[in-house]
Amino acid sequence: MREGDMQGYVEPSAIRMKVSKSFDDDSSLSKNNSNVTSGDFDSGVGMNTRKNQVASQNITMNNPIYSMKAKFGIRSPSVPNFQDSLYSGNNNSTPILNNSRRFDPGINKNESNNMDTRKYWKENADVDSAKETPIDNNKTHDDPAMSVIDLYNDDDGYSRNNRSSMGHQLEDYHLESDDEEDEDSENNHESSEMLAAVSNAEFLPKSITLNRKELNTEHCDRYGFKKKNNYVSEETYNAWWEDYSGYCIRRKHKWLLLLQKSGLPVHNDIPVRFPPHSEKLKRYVRKGIPAEWRGNAWWYFARGQEKLNKNKDVYSNLLLKMGNLEDETQKGKIQDLDVIERDLNRTFPDNIHFQKEAFSTKEPVMIKSLRRVLVAFSLYNTKIGYCQSMNFLAGLLLLFMDEEKTFWMLVIITSRYLPGVHNVNLEGVNIDQGVLLLCIREYLPELWTEIESSYNGYTKNTPNNSANSKNLFLLKLPPITLCTASWFMSCFIGVLPIETTLRIWDCMFYEDSHFLFKASLAIFKICEPDLLKGKPSHRSFSQYSLTNTKQHRSNACQDDYDMQMFQVIQTFPKTIIDPNDIFEKVIFKRRLQLNRLDQNEIDKCRKYVAVQRQKHKNYDDIIGKLGNTSPFDEKSDEQNLHGGKFIDNSINILGKDLKMTSEMVNEALSSEVYDFKRGFSGVNWNNSIKERVKHMRKKK
Amino acid sequence: MLQFKLVLLGDSSVGKSSIVYRFVKDSFDEFRESTIGAAFLSQTITLEENNQVIKFEIWDTAGQERYKSLAPMYYRNANAALVVYDVTAPDSLMKAKSWIEELKKKVGNEELVICLVGNKVDICEEDDTKRKIEFEEAKDWANDENLLFYEVSAKTGYNVKEVFQKIGEQLYEYKKAEQANKGTQDNSNITSNIRLQEPQASNPTSCC
Ligand SMILES: Nc1nc2c(ncn2[C@@H]2O[C@H](COP(=O)(O)OP(=O)(O)O)[C@@H](O)[C@H]2O)c(=O)[nH]1
Ligand SMILES: [Mg+2]
């Protein structure tokens, strides 16, 4: 144990939470300092450590809390760090925070004058180049037992001393199980007992025990989101978190060990590089990346730096352009600005970082960053501009990384992981919904039966059934996709509780977009019992309600069931607070067919659906021109029934050619059925055998 | 019990979700997340005149322009539409009008009950200079277009229940007429099937 660690050990996040609390409760503190941006404008890890270093030299060391804060304070560009930077603007009474403010001249300028951005970015780049600057020894933290998360909650009780040795034991203990793919190392009783044993508040000085109490009364989770919502009570949350926080600590120990083994020592608790892809790493990612590393890990796995290096000045130039916009009052010309503006305050209103302080009209730093990122993006990619849901994507990213990185991650997400989903015509959403439906048909046949019969109700009376019924649902999507569209648009933000969402994000960046489909199927899988519970026992059409103009609508049973289904699909996911419900119950079950889904399949499937939709549209076009009733037209049901206008015969002038094309397309439509690859993917299989063999050799 | 599908349409941030929340949960939240895609809720009411129970299946939608391409999914088979604008935002009535045009064009259901709703009147009550769309102006337009019309406030709850009551009554009237019609025309199913086969003017690329 290093010197200086002795005086009242407290982990950094505890202090953060303490400060956070006062910021939360004490409304007299006003956030009136422009330097608040210190965190949000950082473009790299280096800058953070540098700042921290400088700041720490200016602290009065009498107060153990401040001195500890100096040492463990700003170590990661992630959530906790962001909280620091928030406080630095908020809490004038905290000496360290005042200090850290003083060392931020570049940002100050940037805040006060938009035109200074170029200069700011230059300065920033300089700092950035000093990235791996070693920090003074006093503050180095390569102790694997250290975890920022540890202190967010109840596990902060045990002394560091104990934990170091304990941590290693735990690592050894878990080592085996983690190499067994299917074994669940986390339900390990012995290890939790071990943790419980050392988790003894008596080891701690009094003041820190007090801290703990304060922590427990916090109403926000470690990212600043309110724990309680319409679906989960704070008690439920706390009870679950008590377990899950322990899980997070254990996972972090394993990560540290893995990094060590891979020759990627963790300085200052911020790994910047991660091991190359492997089955083992995939498993680690699936079990969760440590929260405070997420920013870097996502950035690394999504190859963000590559993107940034290719586009060095792009973001700063966009900000300049943005500044000019305001000057020339061109703003009105850009429709998106208005929509962005209206969404800013509707982005995570339940998160303290996005909230105005009481009695303050000052806009939160987060909101300012969010605006810049979204406006910059809309200038950067005019095909997308701004699409509602991107506010949540950017907002979540901002909790984990700085503004420029957030911008590039947004670029990456909207192009690589969710291609076309946010485009002006939202065609990508429709394609992905089609893909999801095909997946459901393949992997959850029982559920598909229900979706299909509900869907048939909607399209029952359309002619040309024989030719088109096979894939018609890909064009004219079933109503269930109204619920699932948002799953993709916002990558599950707001759909699932935050910790669960983040675990899916971990996997998305590591495994690519097919994981979003896998996760969707997993959600369906675990709510399948609920979904199938109320299904109409016999689908007879004898039970007519007053609504009788259309047979399908008249089946009250079906209607009721549909509504129930929507309700389940909408509310059930919100109750999955434990990410491991999805992972342990579905994703880690190798036997489940849906786990065969891989990126290749999804890429193929997306192409297929895109082509099918195009063909349907062409066909529809031709049929329309030939003057037949189109099965795809929204009007067809209603208009016919209500005596709508009938076709003008003159359209029949269109010649034979069209008819032939129509037949050809028709032919193509009916002959193509998407085939999922069946059986095990050879590559995965080989990899896992290879790893096993490797591991066995090592053991010997 | 009668069951109807109702969709909410209108520009972003005019208060669609707030109106639904007021109706379903009788609460108002100043800070509400913007709606992504669509949200599904349901609520039952009882008609005052005849104690008829009506269940609304409500689809609340995102308001941004581009979501219009998803809209056919929302209003497919809808029985009623609540088209909302914000009395303090001049553009929002224009947007509402374009939604109504779209509905009339695409749904083609003459029995679709459309209600134009001007929200946020509480703001005008506090400060009348905030009002950008006059009651008469919107009311006249709604009359010309044969729509129901209300000014409401999701914040105070003013007129919100009334909107749904009125829509419920109207829908009930249609259903009653339909039933009567059915009594006289026993072969209505057959006729409707035949009609479906008939060609019609259509806009084939319009869907999705
Ligand atoms: N003063 C006032 N504000 C409202 C009212 N209804 C909604 N709002 C506010 O308007 C904003 C947008 O409301 P929301 O329901 O999200 O709009 P939507 O996008 O149409 O669903 C929110 O900040 C609401 O608090 C109202 O009746 N009065
Ligand atoms: Mg809304």
Side-chain angles (χ1 to χ4, degrees):
Chain A
M1 198 158 203
R2 257 170 242 102
E3 212 194 63
D5 285 344
M6 298 308 288
Q7 35 165 212
Y9 169 66
V10 87
E11 290 197 35
S13 48
I15 303 157
R16 290 190 189 107
M17 287 316 266
K18 188 177 182 322
V19 184
S20 142
K21 179 141 179 58
S22 61
F23 147 59
D24 209 28
D25 289 348
D26 188 353
S27 48
S28 67
L29 299 171
S30 70
K31 184 178 13 175
N32 53 6
N33 201 301
S34 53
N35 309 310
V36 194
T37 18
S38 54
D40 81 79
F41 241 96
D42 283 353
S43 72
V45 174
M47 191 159 170
N48 280 321
T49 41
R50 163 80 65 94
K51 237 188 306 176
N52 180 26
Q53 184 181 355
V54 182
S56 69
Q57 288 158 1
N58 291 275
I59 304 153
T60 29
M61 297 300 282
N62 346 343
N63 187 329
I65 291 194
Y66 293 145
S67 67
M68 293 315 282
K69 177 156 179 64
K71 278 191 278 180
F72 307 123
I74 307 161
R75 286 182 298 148
S76 128
S78 65
V79 191
N81 181 31
F82 181 77
Q83 286 179 339
D84 274 339
S85 54
L86 261 189
Y87 311 143
S88 66
N90 290 328
N91 194 336
N92 293 340
S93 61
T94 315
I96 171 166
L97 304 169
N98 282 330
N99 281 329
S100 71
R101 178 183 305 138
R102 234 173 273 146
F103 295 92
D104 246 335
I107 290 138
N108 222 342
K109 273 176 230 145
N110 178 60
E111 261 302 302
S112 54
N113 184 351
N114 251 332
M115 301 311 290
D116 259 344
T117 35
R118 191 182 287 280
K119 188 165 179 220
Y120 165 72
W121 283 101
K122 242 184 152 169
E123 287 173 16
N124 205 7
D126 291 339
V127 184
D128 211 29
S129 64
K131 205 166 224 159
E132 313 266 321
T133 329
I135 354 105
D136 73 28
N137 286 334
N138 225 2
K139 290 191 278 107
T140 322
H141 272 286
D142 45 7
D143 182 348
M146 267 295 288
S147 165
V148 177
I149 316 180
D150 298 8
L151 269 219
Y152 275 105
N153 242 300
D154 302 317
D155 278 295
D156 55 337
Y158 61 98
S159 82
R160 188 162 178 213
N161 207 359
N162 273 336
R163 183 139 33 116
S164 307
S165 54
M166 219 55 203
H168 287 299
Q169 278 181 39
L170 288 179
E171 276 150 21
D172 292 342
Y173 189 88
H174 279 299
L175 192 62
E176 257 186 42
S177 59
D178 216 339
D179 283 315
E180 277 308 314
E181 214 173 321
D182 266 346
E183 199 172 322
D184 168 25
S185 58
E186 303 315 328
N187 287 339
N188 203 310
H189 275 267
E190 204 168 328
S191 59
S192 14
E193 273 162 30
M194 284 156 83
L195 276 173
V198 279
S199 158
N200 186 338
E202 276 171 28
F203 292 143
L204 295 167
K206 266 215 169 93
S207 62
I208 291 152
T209 319
L210 277 178
N211 272 345
R212 245 186 101 187
K213 270 190 190 138
E214 275 182 23
L215 282 180
N216 287 342
T217 58
E218 269 290 337
H219 300 297
C220 292
D221 69 9
R222 53 178 169 168
Y223 314 104
F225 291 100
K226 217 165 83 190
K227 290 173 182 174
K228 177 186 178 299
N229 61 39
N230 286 340
Y231 307 91
V232 180
S233 71
E234 193 165 326
E235 292 72 42
T236 313
Y237 183 96
N238 285 335
W240 161 75
W241 176 248
E242 206 167 320
D243 262 13
Y244 193 69
S245 54
Y247 170 90
C248 291
I249 296 166
R250 296 197 295 277
R251 291 314 306 168
K252 187 170 183 186
H253 291 157
K254 287 173 157 296
W255 271 96
L256 284 163
L257 203 71
L258 178 73
L259 291 181
Q260 239 169 38
K261 267 192 189 166
S262 321
L264 299 166
V266 182
H267 291 298
N268 222 24
D269 195 39
I270 323 165
V272 200
R273 285 168 53 217
F274 292 82
H277 280 50
S278 68
E279 280 297 304
K280 182 171 182 172
L281 187 61
K282 182 171 102 183
R283 223 157 49 238
Y284 272 58
V285 172
R286 285 182 169 190
K287 290 184 174 184
I289 298 171
E292 62 278 24
W293 296 359
R294 277 197 166 110
N296 281 352
W298 294 350
W299 182 247
Y300 184 82
F301 293 135
R303 304 190 304 277
Q305 197 59 43
E306 228 172 81
K307 192 94 188 167
L308 178 61
N309 289 342
K310 275 189 225 147
N311 300 279
K312 267 270 182 294
D313 292 323
V314 172
Y315 187 65
S316 50
N317 287 335
L318 286 167
L319 290 187
L320 273 177
K321 203 169 158 189
M322 201 177 138
N324 291 338
L325 273 184
E326 281 162 38
D327 291 346
E328 297 159 30
T329 57
Q330 286 181 322
K331 281 201 304 191
K333 282 186 192 161
I334 303 174
Q335 207 183 21
D336 291 329
L337 291 188
D338 202 30
V339 189
I340 291 173
E341 211 54 45
R342 277 181 278 176
D343 273 352
L344 291 176
N345 291 317
R346 296 195 291 166
T347 308
F348 302 135
D350 273 351
N351 187 300
I352 49 165
H353 305 305
F354 289 81
Q355 289 164 356
K356 273 199 190 101
E357 274 180 79
F359 307 114
S360 163
T361 49
K362 184 107 182 151
E363 195 169 48
V365 193
M366 266 301 200
I367 301 289
K368 287 190 171 135
S369 290
L370 187 59
R371 177 186 292 111
R372 282 191 294 261
V373 170
L374 293 176
V375 174
F377 186 95
S378 78
L379 296 172
Y380 173 78
N381 186 335
T382 46
K383 244 166 97 185
I384 292 176
Y386 171 70
C387 176
Q388 287 189 307
S389 71
M390 279 164 53
N391 53 328
F392 293 111
L393 299 176
L396 189 64
L397 289 166
L398 279 172
L399 286 171
F400 291 91
M401 55 186 75
D402 65 63
E403 222 180 278
E404 189 179 27
K405 283 182 174 177
T406 294
F407 172 81
W408 288 111
M409 287 298 271
L410 195 59
V411 170
I412 290 169
I413 291 174
T414 52
S415 55
R416 192 186 306 156
Y417 300 110
L418 297 167
V421 164
H422 302 90
N423 280 17
V424 176
N425 61 6
L426 299 184
E427 177 62 5
V429 179
N430 293 323
I431 290 172
D432 280 355
Q433 295 308 298
V435 173
L436 180 62
L437 290 168
L438 289 175
C439 291
I440 292 174
R441 185 170 73 176
E442 174 73 12
Y443 298 113
L444 302 168
E446 257 191 281
L447 179 61
W448 174 252
T449 311
E450 294 314 311
I451 295 174
E452 200 180 22
S453 61
S454 149
Y455 181 65
N456 285 342
Y458 284 83
T459 49
K460 199 165 180 55
N461 291 330
T462 54
N464 297 325
N465 246 351
S466 55
N468 300 301
S469 55
K470 262 188 189 130
N471 282 319
L472 180 58
F473 65 89
L474 294 181
L475 180 65
K476 202 174 175 182
L477 295 161
I480 191 181
T481 57
L482 287 175
C483 302
T484 48
S486 63
W487 295 10
F488 289 79
M489 300 192 79
S490 66
C491 277
F492 296 103
I493 299 171
V495 174
L496 294 165
I498 191 65
E499 293 284 355
T500 311
T501 305
L502 291 169
R503 289 278 294 275
I504 292 175
W505 280 48
D506 290 346
C507 297
M508 172 176 77
F509 292 125
Y510 186 81
E511 298 187 41
D512 211 338
S513 60
H514 81 280
F515 198 86
L516 296 174
F517 293 91
K518 217 176 245 180
S520 305
L521 291 172
I523 294 170
F524 274 122
K525 181 87 197 157
I526 52 178
C527 67
E528 204 177 25
D530 280 34
L531 282 172
L532 299 179
K533 212 160 53 191
K535 71 179 173 191
S537 45
H538 55 99
R539 225 172 297 284
S540 79
F541 287 88
S542 57
Q543 218 177 339
Y544 284 18
S545 79
L546 267 171
T547 332
N548 72 330
T549 37
K550 284 162 287 162
Q551 277 191 344
H552 56 270
R553 290 297 288 171
S554 65
N555 190 337
C557 253
Q558 184 68 49
D559 262 12
D560 265 350
Y561 176 59
D562 284 357
M563 277 170 83
Q564 191 196 319
M565 196 144 103
F566 299 146
Q567 205 95 60
V568 172
I569 290 170
Q570 194 170 264
T571 54
F572 192 97
K574 295 196 160 76
T575 64
I576 312 177
I577 47 168
D578 189 356
N580 286 331
D581 278 352
I582 286 180
F583 282 87
E584 303 291 339
K585 287 180 191 160
V586 185
I587 304 288
F588 288 136
K589 292 253 157 74
R590 244 190 325 191
R591 279 169 291 115
L592 289 178
Q593 308 268 314
L594 65 89
N595 283 318
R596 290 174 185 172
L597 203 59
D598 58 22
Q599 194 57 38
N600 229 332
E601 189 85 86
I602 291 300
D603 290 343
K604 254 173 58 197
C605 208
R606 271 174 168 160
K607 264 188 212 134
Y608 170 82
V609 174
V611 170
Q612 287 295 307
R613 284 179 59 84
Q614 197 49 55
K615 279 183 180 169
H616 270 294
K617 277 178 191 162
N618 292 344
Y619 177 76
D620 190 30
D621 239 1
I622 294 160
I623 292 293
K625 280 177 193 149
L626 286 175
N628 288 326
T629 305
S630 153
F632 319 118
D633 188 3
E634 295 303 326
K635 273 193 277 194
S636 53
D637 287 359
E638 308 284 354
Q639 216 168 41
N640 282 303
L641 287 166
H642 300 283
K645 295 159 260 166
F646 293 143
I647 191 85
D648 189 348
N649 275 339
S650 62
I651 294 179
N652 285 332
I653 293 163
L654 290 166
K656 258 187 199 162
D657 287 353
L658 269 178
K659 200 155 208 163
M660 268 173 57
T661 326
S662 143
E663 271 154 21
M664 274 160 58
V665 179
N666 196 357
E667 185 73 9
L669 278 176
S670 53
S671 62
E672 278 178 57
V673 178
Y674 188 81
D675 262 330
F676 279 84
K677 167 183 75 203
R678 309 270 157 103
F680 267 106
S681 134
V683 185
N684 285 343
W685 184 240
N686 285 342
N687 270 351
S688 79
I689 289 181
K690 230 171 21 197
E691 289 229 359
R692 258 158 223 263
V693 171
K694 232 198 281 175
H695 181 64
M696 271 158 65
R697 273 203 205 116
K698 254 190 225 156
K699 263 190 176 168
K700 279 170 196 166
Chain B
M1 188 182 68
L2 287 173
Q3 202 164 298
F4 296 106
K5 178 175 167 182
L6 181 148
V7 294
L8 275 107
L9 299 167
D11 200 8
S12 158
S13 186
V14 293
K16 296 180 294 297
S17 305
S18 299
I19 290 174
V20 177
Y21 260 73
R22 173 58 73 187
F23 175 54
V24 174
K25 305 234 157 94
D26 198 20
S27 68
F28 176 78
D29 197 345
E30 197 81 43
F31 305 101
R32 167 172 307 293
E33 299 208 334
S34 47
T35 315
I36 302 304
F40 170 78
L41 296 100
S42 71
Q43 173 71 309
T44 44
I45 59 164
T46 309
L47 293 186
E48 276 151 16
E49 300 170 22
N50 48 16
N51 286 335
Q52 170 71 47
V53 178
I54 285 178
K55 184 167 185 180
F56 284 111
E57 170 193 342
I58 304 166
W59 287 97
D60 177 22
T61 67
Q64 201 187 355
E65 200 68 22
R66 71 187 62 191
Y67 280 84
K68 264 194 181 156
S69 61
L70 293 186
M73 263 207 277
Y74 303 131
Y75 51 65
R76 193 181 292 166
N77 295 320
N79 304 97
L82 214 72
V83 183
V84 185
Y85 69 92
D86 174 350
V87 293
T88 67
D91 278 358
S92 67
L93 181 61
M94 260 167 47
K95 291 263 169 65
K97 286 178 177 175
S98 84
W99 275 113
I100 288 164
E101 260 166 49
E102 171 113 351
L103 277 173
K104 288 192 163 170
K105 203 171 74 193
K106 296 277 175 61
V107 178
N109 174 1
E110 276 162 21
E111 290 180 3
L112 177 75
V113 176
I114 302 176
C115 184
L116 180 68
V117 170
N119 187 33
K120 308 196 188 179
V121 281
D122 58 286
I123 297 177
C124 312
E125 259 149 46
E126 270 179 25
D127 173 4
D128 202 51
T129 61
K130 293 265 174 67
R131 183 185 274 276
K132 295 284 145 41
I133 295 161
E134 292 307 321
F135 177 85
E136 293 301 330
E137 177 194 349
K139 170 91 189 159
D140 290 347
W141 187 80
N143 277 346
D144 292 346
E145 297 284 317
N146 243 330
L147 316 171
L148 300 175
F149 174 73
Y150 281 96
E151 276 195 350
V152 307
S153 164
K155 190 171 180 175
T156 63
Y158 168 74
N159 256 351
V160 172
K161 276 205 185 92
E162 285 76 358
V163 167
F164 290 89
Q165 275 285 337
K166 186 77 193 164
I167 292 174
E169 281 167 24
Q170 186 94 61
L171 286 167
Y172 178 75
E173 289 303 315
Y174 282 146
K175 285 306 150 200
K176 231 170 52 183
E178 213 171 74
Q179 276 253 307
N181 220 4
K182 193 194 164 200
T184 58
Q185 269 189 326
D186 210 25
N187 54 354
S188 66
N189 269 333
I190 299 162
T191 42
S192 69
N193 277 338
I194 290 166
R195 275 169 149 194
L196 269 170
Q197 308 292 338
E198 288 171 36
Q200 58 158 315
S202 64
N203 180 3
T205 50
S206 64
C207 48
C208 300

